[in-house]
Amino acid sequence: MVTPRITPLPPDAWPPALRALLHASRQDGAGRENLFGTLAHHPPLAEAWLHLAQVLTHQGLLDARLRELAMLRTAHRLRSPYVRARHEGHARDLGVPPAAVAATAAADPGVYDWSAREAATLRAVDLLSVGTALPEALWHELAEMFTTPELLELLVLVGQCAMVCTTLNTLHTPGGGPTVRVDAERCCSAGQCVSTAPEVFAHDEDGLVTLVEERPAVTDRLRLAAALCPSGAIHLTAPAHLTAPARTTEGVPLS
Ligand code: SF4
């Protein structure tokens, strides 16, 4: 069980404006309520955060596919299972091929045949998401393909996504996606997990499965590895939910 550093407030303790924003947003289950419940400790900050997210989602100039790719890559770079899982779903809804989604979590995203705009964007995300300013050559490359407002939006989009990832990771806020657990006692060392998702699974000195990281992002490739395991040693567990049951609302993604 994850212990959050700041316990999310239950919805009935949220300020009205934040509750209204939740009702105007899409149903995203436990992760969304834990995120909003955490922000609810600081209502003015929560409103500002959510208004920025709404502008990026509703009034953004970047096309939706590019926006999702940038956020998937940011979430991968900053190791945010919550953001990664959310945007894998959004990307699927937009018809982004599974191979493209998986490539955003590759050590070198160049393994996929991106458009020139997408390839340049992903290279920019790799730098921006870790706080590195873009070098001249990449900036000029982007400036040839994007308008000035689009460039500005890309910088802010990656920064906003990085803010969400870093905040949730630092606070240990439970996300909306599943988490991964491995049962080494059941592992028969067949190795499908390691060959399918080497960024997540490894063999220990006894040849038994172990996690490369304590809290890996749950990606489509990780799900495939779990499905392929012949001994059922990989478990995807339901998300931790600290507040009220998930609700059904209509709207759009905010982070
Ligand atoms: S696929 Fe399953 S059995 Fe094979 S190494 Fe991985 S965890 Fe062990």
Side-chain angles (χ1 to χ4, degrees), residues 7 12 17-18 32 36 39 46 80 83 88 91 98 100 102 115 129 133 160 165 169 196 203 205 208 214 220:
T7 303
D12 59 8
L18 191 55
R32 172 52 54 92
F36 283 17
L39 292 173
S80 171
V83 176
E88 280 189 352
S115 70
S129 60
Q160 189 264 359
C165 296
N169 285 347
T196 304
H203 286 144
E205 58 273 16
L208 300 176
E214 198 178 329
D220 286 346

Coordinates of all heavy atoms in Angstrom, one line a residue, residues 7 12 17-18 32 36 39 46 80 83 88 91 98 100 102 115 129 133 160 165 169 196 203 205 208 214 220:
T7 N -2.0 13.4 2.3 CA -3.2 12.6 2.1 C -4.3 13.4 1.4 O -4.6 14.5 1.8 CB -3.8 12.1 3.5 OG1 -2.8 11.4 4.2 CG2 -5.0 11.2 3.3
D12 N -16.0 15.7 -0.4 CA -16.9 16.6 0.3 C -16.1 17.7 1.1 O -16.7 18.6 1.6 CB -17.8 15.8 1.2 CG -17.1 15.0 2.2 OD1 -15.9 15.1 2.3 OD2 -17.8 14.2 2.9
A17 N -15.4 25.1 -6.3 CA -14.9 25.3 -7.6 C -14.1 24.1 -8.1 O -14.2 23.7 -9.3 CB -13.9 26.6 -7.7
L18 N -13.4 23.5 -7.2 CA -12.7 22.3 -7.6 C -13.6 21.1 -7.9 O -13.4 20.4 -8.9 CB -11.7 21.9 -6.5 CG -10.7 20.8 -6.8 CD1 -9.8 21.2 -8.0 CD2 -9.7 20.6 -5.6
R32 N -7.6 10.3 -10.6 CA -8.1 11.6 -10.7 C -8.5 12.2 -9.3 O -8.2 13.3 -9.0 CB -9.2 11.7 -11.7 CG -10.0 13.0 -11.8 CD -9.0 14.1 -12.0 NE -8.2 13.9 -13.2 CZ -8.4 14.3 -14.4 NH1 -9.6 14.9 -14.7 NH2 -7.6 14.2 -15.4
F36 N -6.8 15.4 -7.5 CA -7.6 16.5 -7.1 C -7.7 16.7 -5.6 O -7.7 17.8 -5.1 CB -9.0 16.4 -7.7 CG -9.1 16.8 -9.2 CD1 -8.0 16.8 -10.0 CD2 -10.3 17.1 -9.8 CE1 -8.1 17.1 -11.3 CE2 -10.4 17.4 -11.1 CZ -9.3 17.4 -11.9
L39 N -4.6 18.4 -4.5 CA -4.6 19.8 -4.8 C -5.6 20.6 -3.9 O -5.4 21.8 -3.7 CB -5.0 20.0 -6.3 CG -4.1 19.5 -7.3 CD1 -4.7 19.6 -8.7 CD2 -2.8 20.3 -7.3
A46 N -4.9 25.0 -6.9 CA -5.7 24.0 -7.6 C -6.4 24.6 -8.8 O -6.3 24.1 -9.9 CB -6.7 23.3 -6.7
S80 N 6.3 8.4 -14.4 CA 5.0 8.6 -13.8 C 4.0 7.6 -14.3 O 3.5 7.8 -15.4 CB 4.5 10.0 -14.0 OG 3.2 10.1 -13.5
V83 N 0.5 9.3 -15.0 CA 0.3 10.1 -16.2 C 0.5 9.2 -17.5 O -0.2 9.3 -18.5 CB 1.4 11.2 -16.2 CG1 1.3 12.0 -17.5 CG2 1.1 12.2 -15.1
E88 N -1.7 6.8 -22.2 CA -1.8 5.6 -23.1 C -3.3 5.4 -23.5 O -3.6 5.1 -24.7 CB -1.3 4.4 -22.4 CG 0.2 4.2 -22.4 CD 0.7 2.9 -21.9 OE1 -0.2 2.1 -21.4 OE2 1.9 2.6 -21.9
A91 N -4.2 8.1 -26.0 CA -3.6 7.9 -27.3 C -4.4 6.8 -28.1 O -4.6 6.9 -29.3 CB -2.1 7.5 -27.1
P98 N -0.4 1.0 -31.4 CA 0.3 0.5 -30.2 C 1.8 0.6 -30.3 O 2.5 0.8 -29.3 CB -0.2 -1.0 -30.1 CG -1.6 -1.0 -30.7 CD -1.5 0.0 -31.8
A100 N 3.5 2.8 -31.8 CA 3.9 4.2 -31.6 C 3.9 4.5 -30.1 O 4.8 5.1 -29.6 CB 3.0 5.1 -32.4
A102 N 4.2 2.4 -27.7 CA 5.3 1.7 -27.1 C 6.7 2.4 -27.3 O 7.5 2.4 -26.4 CB 5.4 0.2 -27.6
S115 N 6.6 11.0 -38.0 CA 6.7 12.2 -39.0 C 7.9 13.1 -38.5 O 8.3 12.9 -37.3 CB 5.4 13.0 -39.0 OG 5.3 13.6 -37.7
S129 N 11.8 17.9 -20.6 CA 11.2 17.2 -19.5 C 12.2 17.1 -18.3 O 11.8 16.9 -17.2 CB 10.7 15.8 -19.8 OG 11.8 15.0 -20.3
A133 N 17.4 23.3 -21.6 CA 17.0 24.2 -22.7 C 17.4 23.6 -24.0 O 18.4 22.9 -24.1 CB 17.7 25.6 -22.5
Q160 N 4.1 21.6 -18.0 CA 2.9 21.3 -17.1 C 2.8 19.8 -16.8 O 2.6 19.4 -15.7 CB 1.6 21.8 -17.9 CG 0.4 21.7 -17.0 CD -0.4 20.4 -17.2 OE1 -0.1 19.6 -18.0 NE2 -1.5 20.3 -16.5
C165 N 3.9 15.1 -13.1 CA 4.6 13.9 -12.8 C 5.5 14.0 -11.6 O 5.4 13.1 -10.7 CB 5.6 13.5 -14.0 SG 4.8 13.2 -15.6
N169 N 4.9 12.0 -8.1 CA 6.0 11.1 -7.7 C 6.5 11.5 -6.3 O 6.8 10.6 -5.4 CB 7.1 11.1 -8.7 CG 6.7 10.3 -10.0 OD1 5.7 9.6 -10.0 ND2 7.5 10.5 -11.0
T196 N 10.5 -9.2 -23.3 CA 9.4 -8.4 -23.8 C 9.5 -7.0 -23.2 O 9.2 -6.0 -23.9 CB 8.0 -9.0 -23.3 OG1 7.9 -10.3 -23.8 CG2 6.8 -8.2 -23.9
H203 N 16.5 -10.5 -14.5 CA 16.7 -11.7 -13.7 C 17.7 -11.4 -12.6 O 18.7 -10.6 -12.8 CB 17.3 -12.8 -14.5 CG 16.3 -13.4 -15.5 ND1 16.6 -13.8 -16.7 CD2 15.0 -13.6 -15.3 CE1 15.5 -14.3 -17.3 NE2 14.5 -14.2 -16.4
E205 N 20.4 -12.9 -9.5 CA 21.6 -13.8 -9.6 C 21.2 -15.2 -9.7 O 21.9 -16.1 -10.2 CB 22.6 -13.5 -8.5 CG 22.1 -13.7 -7.1 CD 21.5 -12.4 -6.5 OE1 21.1 -11.5 -7.3 OE2 21.3 -12.4 -5.3
L208 N 15.8 -15.5 -11.3 CA 14.4 -15.3 -11.0 C 14.1 -13.8 -11.3 O 14.9 -12.9 -11.2 CB 14.1 -15.6 -9.5 CG 14.4 -17.0 -9.1 CD1 14.2 -17.2 -7.6 CD2 13.6 -18.0 -9.9
E214 N 11.3 0.1 -8.6 CA 10.3 -0.2 -7.6 C 8.9 0.0 -8.1 O 8.0 -0.7 -7.9 CB 10.6 0.6 -6.4 CG 9.9 0.1 -5.1 CD 10.2 0.9 -3.9 OE1 11.4 1.5 -3.9 OE2 9.4 1.0 -3.0
D220 N 1.7 -0.8 -22.3 CA 1.1 -1.9 -23.0 C 2.1 -3.0 -23.1 O 1.8 -4.2 -23.0 CB 0.8 -1.4 -24.4 CG -0.5 -0.6 -24.5 OD1 -1.2 -0.5 -23.4 OD2 -0.7 0.1 -25.5

